[in-house]
Amino acid sequence: QVQLVESGGGLVQPGGSLRLSCAASGFTISKYPMGWYRQAPGEVRELVAAITSTGDRTNYADSVKGRFTISRDNAKNTMYLQMNSLKPEDAALYSCNAGSTAAYALWLGADDMDSWGKGTLVTVSS
């Protein structure tokens, strides 16, 4: 079974940091672009950051540039999102994607799958 499981969410104060992880199982991530997406209550889902299969290119939402860093460790079959200088506007359910959705965000064509995790909740509040 193809599975993506996010972890690392929680409650932080504005200005704080969190590191999210997305652990994959049932497939090898090394051939797939991946990305982080977020959705706040009453809001549309939006791209946070995406990364190519090798990590040679990334794409960030303007709202997180300079604060967030996406990375991946293909040997560990895991993708990460380092989030610094968190703002209340960053509060959302953060979901991990592997495949076509991330590919499109990287100006690539469709891949042979589009897999999503269930998400990890990030709350930013004082």
Side-chain angles (χ1 to χ4, degrees):
Q1 67 281 15
V2 171
Q3 201 167 330
L4 296 169
V5 179
E6 302 91 341
S7 62
L11 173 65
V12 294
Q13 292 185 320
S17 297
L18 284 173
R19 183 174 174 85
L20 307 184
S21 297
C22 173
S25 60
F27 74 105
T28 299
I29 70 167
S30 60
K31 67 171 286 188
Y32 296 104
M34 297 182 71
W36 289 98
Y37 293 76
R38 68 187 183 189
Q39 186 172 26
E43 304 284 340
V44 298
R45 174 184 266 158
E46 65 175 352
L47 170 73
V48 179
I51 186 167
T52 57
S53 60
T54 63
D56 64 336
R57 283 197 295 113
T58 59
N59 185 22
Y60 292 91
D62 288 342
S63 59
V64 308
K65 284 180 181 175
R67 299 188 298 120
F68 291 11
T69 303
I70 190 170
S71 62
R72 63 193 295 158
D73 188 338
N74 287 345
K76 295 181 178 179
N77 227 33
T78 303
M79 177 182 64
Y80 305 96
L81 184 69
Q82 178 66 47
M83 305 188 295
N84 298 326
S85 302
L86 281 159
K87 303 175 180 179
E89 309 93 86
D90 296 318
L93 182 71
Y94 283 71
S95 299
C96 172
N97 172 264
S100 293
T101 299
Y104 298 149
L106 295 158
W107 306 280
L108 302 171
D111 224 303
D112 62 358
M113 74 166 192
D114 199 33
S115 183
W116 291 87
K118 294 180 180 179
T120 185
L121 187 64
V122 172
T123 303
V124 185
S125 176
S126 59

